[in-house]
Amino acid sequence: MVEKVNLAFDYAVAAGPVMLSIAIGDGQIGGSALSLDGTAIGPQGTITNLKIGNGPALVAKKLSAKTLVAPVNDDTSFTSVTYTLTGGATHPPFTFSHELQNPGDGVQYVMTINFVAANGGL
């Protein structure tokens, strides 16, 4: 069985390119698939410094990131995924975690990132 976690946040873009990296934590493994406004983008699997687009062109668009995590670390039932975006008004990593109810299950993080203009526009 696969447990599901739905998450969403707004990301204020700047004038330059927006890049995304996704890291799976807690010694677990997995991969991601991305879509921008419903159209698949980038490679599937490991996402490292993937250019999503230039900030002004991303305003009012939605990025969907589906990350499937498989529990291979026998020492913990915790999973986590960190989304690192650069090229915006701020660059904090966003880390989300989930404890599996059944240790053998996987978890799918479904992240929606809404791109918005920084205060005052671009």
Side-chain angles (χ1 to χ4, degrees):
M1 185 172 137
V2 175
E3 299 174 25
K4 197 170 188 178
V5 177
N6 292 303
L7 308 158
F9 62 89
D10 292 342
Y11 185 72
V13 298
V18 173
M19 310 287 279
L20 173 68
S21 294
I22 301 174
I24 297 167
D26 298 294
Q28 313 297 8
I29 63 169
S32 301
L34 304 174
S35 64
L36 184 63
D37 279 350
T39 301
I41 63 167
Q44 293 184 1
T46 302
I47 307 295
T48 305
N49 293 323
L50 176 68
K51 182 179 178 182
I52 305 301
N54 288 323
L58 292 173
V59 172
K61 292 188 177 184
K62 289 185 181 188
L63 178 69
S64 173
K66 294 182 179 179
T67 304
L68 184 61
V69 178
V72 296
N73 181 351
D74 293 333
D75 293 332
T76 184
S77 59
F78 282 94
T79 66
S80 63
V81 178
T82 299
Y83 302 86
T84 303
L85 286 156
T86 60
T90 61
H91 306 294
F94 301 91
T95 300
F96 301 95
S97 60
H98 177 75
E99 183 176 11
L100 295 167
Q101 299 302 311
N102 298 305
D105 290 349
V107 60
Q108 182 183 46
Y109 290 82
V110 179
M111 172 62 64
T112 301
I113 301 166
N114 302 299
F115 293 110
V116 298
N119 291 338
L122 295 178

